[in-house]
């Protein structure tokens, strides 16, 4: 193993959290490798509304700028690749193997690998996801405020989501995609706030380049709509933390403490893979915090 393959920290995931951590560690003079597979979950999002920016740049443009800024620090290296295996060595460090057959060693690991959304089997949904079918009003609500808006969901979670979205628009319809499972009290509450409920099963979403136009139901009817919110299941984008023994929460996130530490000593995590608050600002903050805390741990171990 050559010294070029040995690092203080390896960051798996080169999105907002990973680059932010890389910046903190680079400024702390740490030798860092960022490995990124190139498939961010927000790849289809046209604008990064939850970042304070005047030019409305897309996430990919912002990420590329951030990458260039991080790589200005000479101790930081970026590798486009996929980590396929990670294990602890006899001396307590970590060994990583990539799909290209490369091997790297690190004292600490940071997973900023995000999550993968599991799309429902409805034609047009995935094409609209992140464009006009949205997951978060704090990320996109202002841009689509007061528009003809729908919510896809059922039961308790759809009731709570309806309450939340009603802050941004009064033109609101709940699509349960089958018989509603709301309680009588919830039905009355939605009715009082003029939130319509449509129980017809959905066949597809008509759209133009991801911009939703109509919901097509299995009974042949259609309903025009400008934007739709949906909370869909997700899974960890990278399975390696779990295979290494990192504990997951009941919701499926990597469990971390206040220091961004996982349940496995030496392994840290930050960003969307650790929290329900999926936003650029939260990812950047968590990455910066993780970088600083990892550096602090390395100092304490060496001092």
């Amino acid at each position: 193993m050559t010294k070029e393959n040995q690092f203080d920290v390896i960051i798996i995931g080169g999105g907002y959290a990973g680059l932010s951590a890389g910046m903190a560690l680079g400024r702390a003079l740490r030798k860092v490798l960022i490995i990124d597979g190139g498939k961010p979950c927000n790849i289809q999002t046209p604008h990064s509304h939850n970042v304070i920016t005047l030019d409305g740049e897309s996430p990919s443009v912002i990420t590329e700028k951030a990458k260039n800024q991080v790589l200005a620090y000479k101790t930081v290296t970026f590798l486009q690749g996929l980590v396929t295996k990670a294990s602890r060595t006899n001396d307590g460090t970590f060994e990583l193997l990539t799909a290209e057959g490369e091997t790297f060693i690190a004292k600490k690991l940071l997973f900023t690998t995000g999550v993968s959304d599991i799309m429902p089997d409805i034609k047009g949904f995935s094409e609209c996801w992140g464009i006009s079918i949205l997951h978060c009003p704090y990320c996109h609500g202002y841009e689509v405020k007061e528009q003809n808006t729908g919510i896809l969901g059922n039961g308790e979670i759809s009731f709570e989501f309806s309450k939340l979205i009603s802050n941004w628009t009064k033109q609101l319809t709940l699509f349960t995609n089958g018989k509603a499972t709301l309680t009588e009290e919830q039905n009355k509450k939605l009715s009082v706030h003029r939130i319509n409920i449509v129980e017809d099963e959905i066949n597809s979403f008509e759209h133009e380049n991801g911009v939703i136009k109509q919901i097509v139901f299995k009974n042949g009817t259609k309903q025009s709509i400008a934007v739709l919110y949906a909370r869909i299941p997700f899974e960890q984008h990278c399975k390696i933390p779990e295979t290494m023994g990192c504990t997951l929460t009941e919701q499926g996130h990597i469990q971390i403490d206040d220091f961004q530490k996982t349940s496995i000593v030496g392994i840290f995590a930050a960003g969307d893979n650790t929290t329900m608050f999926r936003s650029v600002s939260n990812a950047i903050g968590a990455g910066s915090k993780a970088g600083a805390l990892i550096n602090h741990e390395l100092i304490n171990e060496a001092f």
Side-chain angles (χ1 to χ4, degrees), residues 123 212 251 263 266 272 277:
K123 183 180 179 182
I212 194 169
Q251 294 75 29
S263 58
D272 291 355
F277 294 104

Side-chain angles (χ1 to χ4, degrees), residues 168-274:
W168 280 268
T169 181
K170 302 306 176 187
Q171 303 177 61
L172 192 56
T173 303
L174 172 60
F175 299 95
T176 59
N177 194 27
K179 185 172 178 57
T181 57
L182 298 160
T183 66
E184 183 178 347
E185 184 180 350
Q186 289 170 340
N187 273 302
K188 288 180 179 178
K189 200 80 170 178
L190 293 178
S191 178
V192 167
H193 290 274
R194 298 180 181 179
I195 298 173
N196 298 319
I197 301 173
V198 175
E199 297 180 289
D200 297 338
E201 292 187 20
I202 298 171
N203 180 67
S204 62
F205 296 102
E206 290 185 352
H207 66 94
E208 291 180 10
N209 298 318
V211 178
I212 194 169
K213 299 299 180 182
Q214 293 190 109
I215 300 177
V216 181
F217 299 99
K218 290 183 178 180
N219 60 14
T221 62
K222 297 182 179 182
Q223 185 164 334
S224 297
I225 201 162
V227 62
L228 183 78
Y229 285 94
R231 283 182 173 166
I232 61 176
F234 69 89
E235 60 184 2
Q236 287 289 323
H237 189 247
C238 176
K239 309 297 184 187
I240 293 175
E242 191 174 4
T243 62
M244 296 184 75
C246 294
T247 301
L248 299 185
T249 67
E250 289 183 9
Q251 294 75 29
H253 298 108
I254 298 175
Q255 182 176 294
I256 56 170
D257 64 12
D258 291 341
F259 299 92
Q260 305 294 139
K261 295 180 180 181
T262 71
S263 58
I264 300 299
V265 174
I267 301 180
F268 297 72
D272 291 355
N273 57 358
T274 67

Side-chain angles (χ1 to χ4, degrees), residues 51-66:
V51 175
I52 299 173
T53 175
L54 298 178
D55 47 14
E57 293 176 331
S58 69
S60 60
V61 172
I62 296 171
T63 302
E64 190 61 29
K65 284 186 176 182

Side-chain angles (χ1 to χ4, degrees), residues 66-258:
K67 177 182 170 183
N68 292 334
Q69 292 170 359
V70 173
L71 290 180
Y73 296 91
K74 302 303 182 184
T75 58
V76 181
T77 303
F78 191 95
L79 174 68
Q80 187 80 43
L82 180 67
V83 177
T84 57
K85 185 179 179 182
S87 59
R88 194 185 292 273
T89 65
N90 291 332
D91 63 3
T93 59
F94 297 96
E95 181 178 271
L96 272 64
L97 179 67
T98 70
E100 292 75 24
E102 297 171 289
T103 302
F104 301 98
I105 297 290
K107 298 174 184 175
K108 307 290 179 183
L109 296 183
L110 172 60
F111 286 92
T112 57
T113 41
V115 295
S116 296
D117 295 307
I118 302 172
M119 306 289 170
D121 187 22
I122 303 175
K123 183 180 179 182
F125 186 98
S126 60
E127 291 85 349
C128 296
W129 183 241
I131 299 173
S132 59
I133 299 182
L134 310 171
H135 82 286
C136 175
Y138 294 104
C139 300
H140 307 281
Y142 184 84
E143 283 70 28
V144 297
K145 63 184 183 299
E146 301 304 341
Q147 294 189 35
N148 183 13
T149 301
I151 293 172
L152 177 61
N154 209 342
E156 180 69 26
I157 190 170
S158 70
F159 175 73
E160 293 299 327
F161 210 13
S162 297
K163 282 201 301 184
L164 178 65
I165 303 304
S166 68
N167 180 76
W168 280 268
T169 181
K170 302 306 176 187
Q171 303 177 61
L172 192 56
T173 303
L174 172 60
F175 299 95
T176 59
N177 194 27
K179 185 172 178 57
T181 57
L182 298 160
T183 66
E184 183 178 347
E185 184 180 350
Q186 289 170 340
N187 273 302
K188 288 180 179 178
K189 200 80 170 178
L190 293 178
S191 178
V192 167
H193 290 274
R194 298 180 181 179
I195 298 173
N196 298 319
I197 301 173
V198 175
E199 297 180 289
D200 297 338
E201 292 187 20
I202 298 171
N203 180 67
S204 62
F205 296 102
E206 290 185 352
H207 66 94
E208 291 180 10
N209 298 318
V211 178
I212 194 169
K213 299 299 180 182
Q214 293 190 109
I215 300 177
V216 181
F217 299 99
K218 290 183 178 180
N219 60 14
T221 62
K222 297 182 179 182
Q223 185 164 334
S224 297
I225 201 162
V227 62
L228 183 78
Y229 285 94
R231 283 182 173 166
I232 61 176
F234 69 89
E235 60 184 2
Q236 287 289 323
H237 189 247
C238 176
K239 309 297 184 187
I240 293 175
E242 191 174 4
T243 62
M244 296 184 75
C246 294
T247 301
L248 299 185
T249 67
E250 289 183 9
Q251 294 75 29
H253 298 108
I254 298 175
Q255 182 176 294
I256 56 170
D257 64 12
D258 291 341

